[in-house]
Amino acid sequence: RVTQAQDLVCTRQRDRSMSEVVELGGDCWCVERRDGGGGFGRVAARVPGDVYSDLERAGAVPDPLVGEREQWAVDTVSRHEWRYTRSFSLSVGAGSKAYLVCEGLDTLASVYVNDHEVGKADNMFCEYRFDVTPFLAPAGESNSLRVDFQSALEYCHDKEKLPAWEYATHLSGVCKRMHVRKCGCHFGWDWGPAFPTCGIYRRIYLFVHREPVITYVCAMQLQTEAPVTESTAGVLPVDVYLFNPVASQDQSGLTVECVVTVPGGAVQIAQASVPAPASPVERRVHIDVPLRFNPARDLWSPRGYGGQPLCELLVRLLCRDGTEVSHMTQQIGLRQLTFEHHADGAVYFTVNGKRIFVKGADWIPLDLFAGRVTAARERATVDSAAMANMNFLRVWGGGIYESDDFYDACDRLGVLVWQDFMFSCSCYPASEPFLSSVAREVQHQVRRLCSHPCVCLWCGNNECEEGMPFDCPPLLERHMDDYLTLFAKTIPPIVKDADPSRTYWRSSPSRGIVDGPFDKSSGNVSEGDCHYWGVWHGGLDFRKYLTIRPRMCTEFGFQSLPYQLLEGYVSLYGLRSATVTYRQRSAHGNDKLLQTIDQFFGPAVAASVDAKASFEREVYLTQVYQAWAIKTAAEHMRRLMPYCAGISFWQLNDVWPGPSWSSLEYNGQWKMLQYYAKNFYADTLVSCEEAAGLLYLHLTSDVRRLSGLLHYDVVDVATGSVVSSGDFDAVVEPGSSAVVNCAPLDFTMLRNCVLLLAFCEHGATLKAVPPIFPCACEGVYATNLQLLHDPKYLTFGRPTFTTQVPLPPPRRASFTALRTEAKFYNRSSRSLPHQSRWR
């Protein structure tokens, strides 16, 4: 019953009442519909979790993601009110108080202890702390805990029906999701279904204490007088927040102590006295911890630019006699990070004085159902990003603030996190209650996350500033005022107060106007960060990517189908089938996919008598096209380095098996795009581009100065013979891209050929240039493949190959070569982590 909390610890003192944490999570809960309808009765529930997961686990509802159950599930579950209950025992000593701490209630909740209402919640992103002391039963008797959830969907429907813009979702029309502080994509998006769920989705526990307790520790950015890479001494600013349960209690003589252990093992300590409180409930203590460190060993850097050593920060609250009252431990990283913004529109990140190029993808929630999310799944998904050479993830504003496990994984792997606040594609109100709720949310989340070295920027919203001028002109002036009240006047001061070390960026995309007027040109490609959707939504050929020159592109993408659709989620196969069309949430999306297959591969490629086999070819071809489109864009933007300073494609992960822009399937399996990303995001890139009848060969390097030999082969795909080959001496400087050579293109000679490229050390032996994926041969820096014609114009020979795959027991692998009129590919199933299938 009494367990040690992971992040909040009070110890038992001889001369004080016992302090304890009582975890209330687990399988001891029940859930039922408040009106008793639906025939569900009371079913066992698990916390943290959600009502859909609980009902499915109990067998009361089938898997909502299979088939076409969305509307049925919404009518059966989301439109109703639900009640979670459990019992507990607790003894509270004289002078102590008991608080119920709810780290995540989704969303509109009333909380009762022994049938007394102890508090309400209306924001999924706030932590709530309720004093339950007066309502507890006498020691030894059982207490009841009840959490009643109102339907967020019905709540939104009942709000005022102003003609305010929100991005069209599957439940659009009267959805009005902007009125409730809840995960936006729970109401549907153009890549996923609508399941406005409810439940206790984060940790919930009782905390009994008498003395003040540490609630937040905010470790800021390392400060040094000289450049950090040349320094051995500096200061770590730390803000410590204390919560006082007994406002009238004398707290003189309290001391906060910070103990920092750097990777080399050195321990450094600083203390500060707790000042007289400005508030009897909460206070902040600031400590500057002097540090000595080894910059070569101890500095945290993004993936590819150095290591990710983490320090231990222990913060203790001590009484006058040195007795510990409370403590909190964190893993932190020592680093200096800035986000530079210049008048000419240039933006870029620097870490430890070095300009970096960010490469990554946009992150959406791992699942619509919190009960399906595990720490292992979060870590595996971040691992997949790192394995594909990503050093950047943008947490999108239509989802949630992720759990500590996500940010811990990013800290460990050196993946920077652009953190949106949870606002996306809508006109949000600016009423006093709404602004107060947002203020509590921002304060809590910034304090919670700011010690993570991976967090690189706070962003106000996703696409609100860009979208409003196009989608809500009738009341634009009113909504512009509300927008500025929220994103220019309310949020920035809170961020600056809690975390002055990071940049606040008002919106994405944005030209970088933070305090100024509403920016009707926030989507300008050549200034700030941009979202470019001309290819998918504009219906343009993917080679249109080659014409844009972004400073930093934080959204662009192309759809594909997941193989998981072949595993029982649909009853009919084919892009024109009713079941696959039902899963397409982007307007005319399946028509676009069919059109690209015809235009790129030829109309006969996907033809087959067997519907499932034909659909599997469609899945494969959409993944090839998606991978090639994003490869084209990413390589082009990397060739623009240093003019362009970052790429983040839409999107990394998925919330269900359906057509989307993701590079990972819902089950974590890699799509072809993820494998391509491993190559086009590698530290060194060899690529080419065609311009005015000439073919330009490029080298790009993130970190190292490299000199070597750029080798090319022009290969006839029908015979496998090398039509032409050559070598060029090449040099590339760190953080730049260079043209190595250019040559006229003779398309008559090259009409059935592809171009294979390799950049290697002088003297390296190349037996063959490996296509697409990086070569593991010693001395080879980078490889690539370039199509000189669309695949529909190519005549492929019959594929023959042999391969050896050393997999020591108990790992097993099986390979099958499949051939169609225009392509062949490998399929394998193996017991290796993260991916269940490899192509």
Side-chain angles (χ1 to χ4, degrees):
R1 182 176 68 85
V2 179
T3 62
Q4 186 182 58
Q6 296 175 356
D7 63 342
L8 190 63
V9 178
C10 273
T11 59
R12 184 185 301 188
Q13 308 298 334
R14 292 180 181 176
D15 58 343
R16 291 175 175 82
S17 61
M18 176 181 176
S19 297
E20 61 181 346
V21 174
V22 181
E23 296 290 349
L24 296 177
D27 297 329
C28 299
W29 291 80
C30 291
V31 63
E32 60 186 320
R33 243 174 70 171
R34 286 189 63 192
D35 62 4
F40 297 111
R42 299 181 73 209
V43 301
R46 182 177 299 164
V47 170
D50 69 284
V51 67
Y52 276 99
S53 298
D54 292 329
L55 294 175
E56 182 189 355
R57 191 182 306 111
V61 299
D63 185 346
L65 301 185
V66 174
E68 302 176 28
R69 298 169 178 162
E70 180 182 4
Q71 193 61 55
W72 172 85
V74 168
D75 292 339
T76 305
V77 180
S78 296
R79 295 191 185 279
H80 299 279
E81 298 183 349
W82 294 88
R83 171 170 292 167
Y84 278 78
T85 55
R86 68 156 293 165
S87 61
F88 65 92
S89 297
L90 185 68
S91 177
V92 180
S96 295
K97 284 195 172 185
Y99 285 86
L100 178 66
V101 183
C102 307
E103 294 187 355
L105 297 175
D106 179 14
T107 294
L108 302 167
S110 298
V111 183
Y112 298 84
V113 171
N114 296 326
D115 295 326
H116 295 280
E117 184 179 281
V118 298
K120 289 181 177 292
D122 62 359
N123 189 323
M124 179 180 182
F125 311 121
C126 286
E127 178 180 284
Y128 291 91
R129 183 181 296 262
F130 304 120
D131 184 357
V132 299
T133 312
F135 312 109
L136 294 174
E141 296 185 14
S142 179
N143 297 274
S144 66
L145 173 60
R146 184 173 92 237
V147 184
D148 289 345
F149 288 97
Q150 182 181 350
S151 167
L153 186 62
E154 294 301 314
Y155 173 87
C156 292
H157 286 178
D158 292 340
K159 301 301 289 183
E160 59 177 326
K161 302 302 187 292
L162 289 172
W165 165 65
E166 63 179 325
Y167 190 74
T169 65
H170 196 53
L171 292 177
S172 61
V174 291
C175 183
K176 302 300 179 185
R177 57 179 166 79
M178 75 284 286
H179 289 291
V180 64
R181 296 304 300 142
K182 177 176 173 61
C183 175
C185 64
H186 280 179
F187 297 92
W189 219 265
D190 59 2
W191 35 258
F195 292 107
T197 185
C198 68
I200 305 168
Y201 81 106
R202 291 269 165 88
R203 182 178 170 223
I204 181 171
Y205 59 96
L206 287 159
F207 194 73
V208 182
H209 57 129
R210 176 180 177 178
E211 307 296 343
V213 62
I214 299 170
T215 52
Y216 302 95
V217 171
C218 301
M220 306 298 176
Q221 186 154 265
L222 178 65
Q223 297 178 357
T224 57
E225 293 183 1
V228 67
T229 54
E230 302 172 9
S231 301
T232 58
V235 171
L236 179 70
V238 179
D239 280 345
V240 180
Y241 293 86
L242 307 177
F243 175 76
N244 177 24
V246 184
S248 60
Q249 182 173 296
D250 179 19
Q251 298 162 31
S252 60
L254 291 177
T255 300
V256 173
E257 177 182 81
C258 291
V259 183
V260 178
T261 305
V262 298
V267 177
Q268 293 154 86
I269 302 174
Q271 292 184 338
S273 298
V274 177
S279 163
V281 176
E282 182 183 79
R283 69 186 70 183
R284 175 167 57 182
V285 180
H286 180 83
I287 304 177
D288 288 327
V289 183
L291 292 181
R292 298 198 67 83
F293 59 91
N294 180 340
R297 180 196 63 203
D298 299 337
L299 292 182
W300 187 96
S301 299
R303 190 173 190 83
Y305 289 87
Q308 292 80 45
L310 296 175
C311 306
E312 180 182 274
L313 171 61
L314 169 63
V315 180
R316 306 168 68 211
L317 181 61
L318 306 175
C319 294
R320 189 190 305 273
D321 61 2
T323 305
E324 180 183 294
V325 175
S326 176
H327 78 249
M328 183 181 290
T329 303
Q330 293 181 342
Q331 297 292 311
I332 64 171
L334 304 179
R335 57 110 176 99
Q336 289 183 353
L337 182 147
T338 65
F339 183 65
E340 303 289 339
H341 174 223
H342 297 274
D344 63 355
V347 291
Y348 55 87
F349 288 98
T350 70
V351 179
N352 300 327
K354 180 185 299 182
R355 177 169 172 165
I356 67 169
F357 190 96
V358 294
K359 306 169 295 186
D362 297 317
W363 175 285
I364 65 172
L366 272 185
D367 212 295
L368 296 176
F369 307 123
R372 297 187 179 189
V373 178
T374 64
R377 188 176 168 195
E378 289 180 294
R379 289 191 296 265
T381 309
V382 178
D383 282 345
S384 285
M387 289 165 62
N389 291 313
M390 297 183 189
N391 63 11
F392 179 87
L393 291 172
R394 174 176 166 257
V395 177
W396 170 71
I400 62 173
Y401 305 94
E402 293 296 332
S403 75
D404 291 334
D405 294 305
F406 166 79
Y407 299 97
D408 288 344
C410 292
D411 289 343
R412 174 176 54 86
L413 293 170
V415 178
L416 293 172
V417 174
W418 170 304
Q419 180 65 57
D420 280 4
F421 291 110
M422 293 302 119
F423 304 89
S424 183
C425 300
S426 185
C427 297
Y428 288 89
S431 64
E432 192 281 328
F434 188 87
L435 294 177
S436 296
S437 179
V438 169
R440 293 193 303 271
E441 166 192 332
V442 172
Q443 184 181 75
H444 166 62
Q445 295 296 343
V446 173
R447 290 178 181 180
R448 180 176 79 92
L449 299 177
C450 72
S451 290
H452 288 279
C454 66
V455 177
C456 62
L457 179 142
W458 304 107
C459 181
N461 65 77
N462 171 76
E463 294 184 350
C464 294
E465 194 156 0
E466 179 190 40
M468 285 170 57
F470 299 99
D471 293 286
C472 59
L475 293 175
L476 180 58
E477 294 301 320
R478 168 182 171 167
H479 290 306
M480 284 168 50
D481 290 341
D482 288 348
Y483 177 91
L484 293 175
T485 299
L486 179 57
F487 296 109
K489 298 176 183 177
T490 301
I491 295 178
I494 300 172
V495 174
K496 186 175 182 180
D497 176 69
D499 182 15
S501 65
R502 290 181 179 89
T503 295
Y504 171 75
W505 195 247
R506 196 163 76 186
S507 183
S508 181
S510 175
R511 295 192 300 166
I513 299 174
V514 175
D515 300 321
F518 188 92
D519 185 8
K520 295 183 180 180
S521 300
S522 62
N524 191 322
V525 172
S526 61
E527 298 180 82
D529 78 303
C530 75
H531 297 182
Y532 181 74
W533 284 103
V535 171
W536 175 261
H537 290 301
L540 303 175
D541 186 278
F542 71 76
R543 281 156 283 232
K544 184 67 175 178
Y545 285 129
L546 299 173
T547 66
I548 65 171
R549 290 177 57 83
R551 293 294 195 167
M552 181 178 289
C553 194
T554 49
E555 268 195 34
F556 64 100
F558 204 91
Q559 274 197 359
S560 69
L561 296 169
Y563 275 93
Q564 206 175 353
L565 281 179
L566 296 162
E567 299 172 2
Y569 285 90
V570 295
S571 57
L572 299 173
Y573 298 109
L575 275 165
R576 296 198 185 281
S577 71
T579 54
V580 178
T581 299
Y582 160 81
R583 289 177 174 263
Q584 175 60 262
R585 300 305 164 88
S586 180
H588 312 294
N590 286 0
D591 291 336
K592 293 176 183 178
L593 292 175
L594 285 167
Q595 183 181 7
T596 57
I597 289 175
D598 289 350
Q599 291 179 348
F600 197 57
F601 300 102
V605 170
S608 174
V609 175
D610 185 303
K612 187 172 183 178
S614 179
F615 183 53
E616 185 169 8
R617 292 191 184 100
E618 289 179 341
V619 172
Y620 172 77
L621 293 174
T622 62
Q623 290 201 15
V624 173
Y625 190 91
Q626 178 198 37
W628 207 266
I630 304 307
K631 162 185 156 67
T632 299
E635 290 181 352
H636 165 65
M637 294 176 201
R638 290 195 68 189
R639 287 193 293 266
L640 295 176
M641 183 194 295
Y643 178 88
C644 178
I647 312 167
S648 185
F649 64 75
W650 183 270
Q651 66 209 63
L652 178 69
N653 53 311
D654 229 333
V655 297
W656 75 331
S660 84
W661 296 269
S662 72
S663 59
L664 300 177
E665 299 195 12
Y666 174 60
N667 61 1
Q669 176 178 308
W670 287 28
K671 290 184 179 179
M672 193 171 296
L673 170 56
Q674 190 75 359
Y675 288 103
Y676 272 51
K678 188 173 183 178
N679 195 53
F680 63 64
Y681 278 162
D683 290 345
T684 306
L685 173 70
V686 56
S687 64
C688 65
E689 65 175 333
E690 177 195 345
L694 296 175
L695 191 67
Y696 292 84
L697 304 181
H698 287 257
L699 282 178
T700 306
S701 177
D702 289 342
V703 180
R704 297 181 293 171
R705 183 186 189 276
L706 297 172
S707 63
L709 200 67
L710 196 159
H711 176 84
Y712 74 89
D713 285 335
V714 179
V715 179
D716 188 312
V717 297
T719 64
S721 60
V722 177
V723 175
S724 176
S725 65
D727 300 292
F728 303 101
D729 289 323
V731 177
V732 62
E733 300 296 331
S736 67
S737 188
V739 176
V740 175
N741 209 310
C742 64
L745 283 169
D746 185 347
F747 284 101
T748 303
M749 181 185 73
L750 306 178
R751 62 185 177 184
N752 202 50
C753 296
V754 296
L755 178 66
L756 302 181
L757 301 170
F759 178 47
C760 56
E761 295 177 351
H762 286 289
T765 301
L766 283 172
K767 294 182 179 179
V769 177
I772 303 178
F773 299 114
C775 180
C777 301
E778 185 176 353
V780 177
Y781 298 127
T783 65
N784 207 342
L785 177 147
Q786 181 64 44
L787 293 177
L788 302 176
H789 301 275
D790 288 352
K792 66 182 178 182
Y793 297 117
L794 302 178
T795 301
F796 289 89
R798 184 176 182 83
T800 58
F801 60 89
T802 59
T803 185
Q804 291 183 345
V805 183
L807 292 173
R811 296 178 174 181
R812 301 176 301 278
S814 62
F815 296 86
T816 305
L818 306 179
R819 181 179 184 275
T820 72
E821 296 84 353
K823 53 87 183 176
F824 70 94
Y825 61 98
N826 300 331
R827 292 186 61 185
S828 121
S829 60
R830 61 181 186 169
S831 53
L832 298 180
H834 307 313
Q835 292 82 248
S836 60
R837 183 184 297 134
W838 174 55
R839 293 181 179 79

